[in-house]
Amino acid sequence: GNKSQDSGIAEMEELPVPHNIKISNITCDSFKISWDMDSKSKDRITHYFIDLNKKENKNSNKFKHKDVPTKLVAKAVPLPMTVRGHWFLSPRTEYTVAVQTASKQVDGDYVVSEWSEIIEFCTADYSKVHLTQLLEKAEVIAGRMLKMSVFYRNQHKEYFDYIREHHGNAMQPSVKDNSGSHGSPISGKLEGIFFSCNTEFNTGKPPQDSPYGRYRYEIAAEKLFNPNTNLYFGDFYCMYTAYHYVILVIAPVGSPGDEFCKQRLPQLNIKDNKFLTCDEEDGVMVYHHAQDVILEVIYTDPVDLSLGTVAEITGHQLMSLSTANAKKDPSCKTCNISVGR
C-alpha cells in the first residue's frame, strides 16, 4: 500500500495487534509492559515497536519512518518486557504508550501490525534508593557544623493573626508544595510546617533578612527536635544558583508524619549526621547545623505559638530567596542523580 511506498514500512493485517496492554512494576525511570495478542501469525513476529510520549504529546503523529530512531525498536522477547534506559523517563510524569508487532524482512524493512490502543500511566516518585543517592551527594557539600539554638518561621503579620483567631493559636501543617526535585515523594503529599535554622556565621543568630514576611516566630530548638522525634532526609536541590538547599523532616515518634516518612525517606541519626544534630552535653541539649547548605526543616505536627515568640525582623524581605514552587536546575551536577529529572 501507500505506506510501504512512502516509508519503507509495509502493513499487513496478518500480524496480530497487541491488546489488553498492562503496565506494571512502575518506578521513577522504568516500567514493565505486557499485552495479549492473537496466536495467528505470532511466530512471524521478530520485533516490537513501542511509542512512548509524555501525555501532553499524545496526539502527535504515530511512528513515521523518519521517527524510527526516536522510538523503541525491541527484539521480540518474552513478556512482560522491562523498559529502562531507552528514554530519560522523568519521575511523577504522565505518559502514553502504544505498541505494534513487527516482522523484519530480508531487505531490512519491516512488516508491521496496526497500532494498539493508547494506554496512559504515571511514573513513580524517587524510591529510598534514589533519595539515598541524593543524600550522599548532599553530604559531600554540607560543610562544617555550626551551633544553633532556635528554629524560626517567617510570615506576614496577617498569617499570625489568622492562626490566633481561627486555629486556637496553633500553626497547622499544610501540604508541601512542588519545589525541589521533581521525583521527591514528599511534594504534594507530606503535611508539615516549614522552619529554618540557619545562622549567620559572624553572629551565630538567625539572619535578619527573609523572603517570607517581616514577622518571625522563634522557638527553642529542643521544643521541636529532641530524642522523642525522628529525623529524615527529604531532598537536595538548587535553583540555578550557587547555593544548595537540603530539606529535612522532623516527626514526633509514632505520629502520622513519622509513619509517612518511615516508608519513603532515609532516616538520619539525630546525634550523628551531616546536616542537623541534637546531642546532650553536661545535661544540656546542644544543636548544630551544616554551614554550607540552606536547611529547610518540615515539622509534621501542629505547633502552638505560645511555645515561642513572634517579633518583627529589622532586615529586608528578599523575595529572590523564596523557594515556593521553585524548579530544580536539572543540569546541576552537584545535586542531580542519574535517573529521570
Side-chain angles (χ1 to χ4, degrees):
N2 292 335
K3 283 195 179 180
S4 61
Q5 293 174 19
D6 293 343
S7 68
I9 295 181
E11 193 160 325
M12 294 174 63
E13 289 185 7
E14 284 86 347
L15 283 180
V17 180
H19 61 273
N20 194 24
I21 294 175
K22 295 186 181 71
I23 305 291
S24 61
N25 294 77
I26 300 170
T27 72
C28 66
D29 64 346
S30 69
F31 61 92
K32 284 188 175 181
I33 185 168
S34 64
W35 56 82
D36 299 330
M37 52 189 166
D38 297 332
S39 56
K40 181 182 175 184
S41 301
K42 202 172 179 179
D43 56 351
R44 294 179 54 229
I45 297 171
T46 62
H47 291 77
Y48 305 137
F49 291 173
I50 299 178
D51 183 20
L52 184 79
N53 291 286
K54 285 189 177 178
K55 189 173 174 182
E56 58 265 30
N57 299 326
K58 66 180 177 182
N59 292 323
S60 61
N61 290 332
K62 288 282 172 237
F63 205 15
K64 297 175 181 174
H65 185 57
K66 63 183 175 61
D67 295 329
V68 171
T70 69
K71 307 300 179 185
L72 174 63
V73 179
K75 287 189 176 178
V77 297
L79 299 176
M81 179 176 70
T82 299
V83 177
R84 176 189 288 114
H86 296 90
W87 304 275
F88 288 104
L89 284 168
S90 296
R92 201 187 277 208
T93 302
E94 292 185 322
Y95 288 93
T96 62
V97 65
V99 189
Q100 279 178 320
T101 58
S103 176
K104 192 170 187 179
Q105 308 297 291
V106 290
D107 60 2
D109 282 344
Y110 290 95
V111 174
V112 296
S113 72
E114 292 285 351
W115 281 106
S116 71
E117 74 271 31
I118 297 172
I119 299 297
E120 299 180 359
F121 71 99
C122 186
T123 47
D125 299 332
Y126 283 156
S127 67
K128 273 190 183 180
V129 171
H130 298 117
L131 287 170
T132 299
Q133 293 174 20
L134 269 184
L135 164 62
E136 290 167 352
K137 279 181 161 277
E139 287 174 337
V140 171
I141 70 157
R144 70 187 179 101
M145 303 290 277
L146 301 178
K147 266 194 173 182
M148 56 159 281
S149 60
V150 299
F151 291 101
Y152 55 95
R153 174 174 171 80
N154 284 77
Q155 285 285 352
H156 300 285
K157 181 176 182 294
E158 293 77 15
Y159 168 83
F160 293 110
D161 289 343
Y162 186 86
I163 294 300
R164 294 184 186 101
E165 291 174 25
H166 298 279
H167 289 294
N169 216 42
M171 293 185 289
Q172 300 297 314
S174 59
V175 177
K176 185 196 169 296
D177 66 10
N178 287 314
S179 60
S181 298
H182 190 53
S184 171
I186 61 177
S187 293
K189 295 180 181 178
L190 178 67
E191 294 190 357
I193 305 169
F194 262 110
F195 285 92
S196 299
C197 64
N198 291 79
T199 57
E200 290 184 319
F201 180 75
N202 54 342
T203 67
K205 296 181 178 179
Q208 280 301 309
D209 299 326
S210 166
Y212 299 112
R214 294 195 56 80
Y215 282 77
R216 173 172 293 168
Y217 176 73
E218 282 192 15
I219 183 171
E222 62 264 24
K223 297 282 179 67
L224 300 186
F225 187 35
N226 54 62
N228 295 317
T229 56
N230 283 327
L231 180 67
Y232 297 91
F233 172 82
D235 201 4
F236 176 45
Y237 69 101
C238 72
M239 304 178 296
Y240 304 89
T241 55
Y243 41 89
H244 280 81
Y245 295 84
V246 168
I247 298 180
L248 302 175
V249 183
I250 297 176
V253 173
S255 66
D258 189 34
E259 294 304 314
F260 178 95
C261 294
K262 196 169 290 183
Q263 298 172 37
R264 296 169 177 84
L265 307 180
Q267 186 170 347
L268 303 176
N269 183 334
I270 67 170
K271 294 183 178 182
D272 182 20
N273 67 80
K274 299 285 189 182
F275 311 108
L276 181 67
T277 60
C278 156
D279 206 357
E280 190 174 324
E281 296 179 12
D282 300 324
V284 178
M285 300 305 292
V286 178
Y287 294 85
H288 290 85
H289 72 86
Q291 173 185 345
D292 294 335
V293 292
I294 299 174
L295 295 179
E296 298 181 304
V297 178
I298 301 176
Y299 186 76
T300 62
D301 272 12
V303 176
D304 198 292
L305 291 179
S306 65
L307 296 174
T309 58
V310 177
E312 189 171 3
I313 61 172
T314 57
H316 301 287
Q317 189 172 331
L318 303 176
M319 294 309 294
S320 62
L321 292 178
S322 172
T323 61
N325 287 309
K327 299 305 178 191
K328 180 175 181 174
D329 177 0
S331 65
C332 177
K333 290 182 171 57
T334 301
C335 63
N336 283 290
I337 55 178
S338 60
V339 295
R341 304 292 183 251

